[in-house]
Amino acid sequence: MKSRFETFTVLIAKINRNIRRIKNLEMADYELRSQHSSCLYYIYSFESLTAADLCEKTEEDKATVSRALNYLEKNGYIICEAKSAKRYKSPILLTEKGKEVAQKITEKIDRVLSESGEGLTEEERAAFYRYLGIISDNLDRIGNKLG
């Protein structure tokens, strides 16, 4: 059991570190960080999202998303046409600069996903994601019971 726990937790942590490292390295040319690339990717994928939507999609807290959006807006990647004080629920759109960079980010993500799945068949990949989803849901359920 100890080996199973160590293998599971170490591999999940290692995967997470590698994802952040790759994101940061791939985004360095644009002076962007991991959380910026995630925001741009999701806004590009859905054409418009709110900060609340981004929190849900990225699994990041409100403060992290807010800081990322402030940076992206200040540097000309996004616009937020908040018509009220409820900016958190206002649509966020990409500027032309944001669309261009988000498209390149999406291409890089596709390449990394392709390379990271080398050696797996489509069926194995689908099963892996299905199993990972089950484990994630189970951990959510356990965490919700405890807290």
Side-chain angles (χ1 to χ4, degrees), residues 8 134-144:
F8 179 77
I134 291 168
I135 291 168
S136 179
D137 291 346
N138 289 341
L139 290 171
D140 279 343
R141 181 179 44 75
I142 293 165
N144 289 334

Side-chain angles (χ1 to χ4, degrees), residues 27 29-32 36 40-41 43-44 70-79 93-106:
M27 296 303 103
D29 291 343
Y30 308 108
E31 297 181 11
L32 297 173
H36 303 138
L40 289 173
Y41 170 79
I43 296 168
Y44 181 75
N70 285 338
Y71 179 89
L72 292 170
E73 187 171 34
K74 178 181 162 195
N75 289 280
Y77 293 97
I78 62 168
I79 55 171
L93 303 168
L94 294 174
T95 62
E96 285 307 312
K97 176 183 177 180
K99 287 177 187 174
E100 182 181 313
V101 171
Q103 181 179 3
K104 290 177 183 173
I105 288 170
T106 300

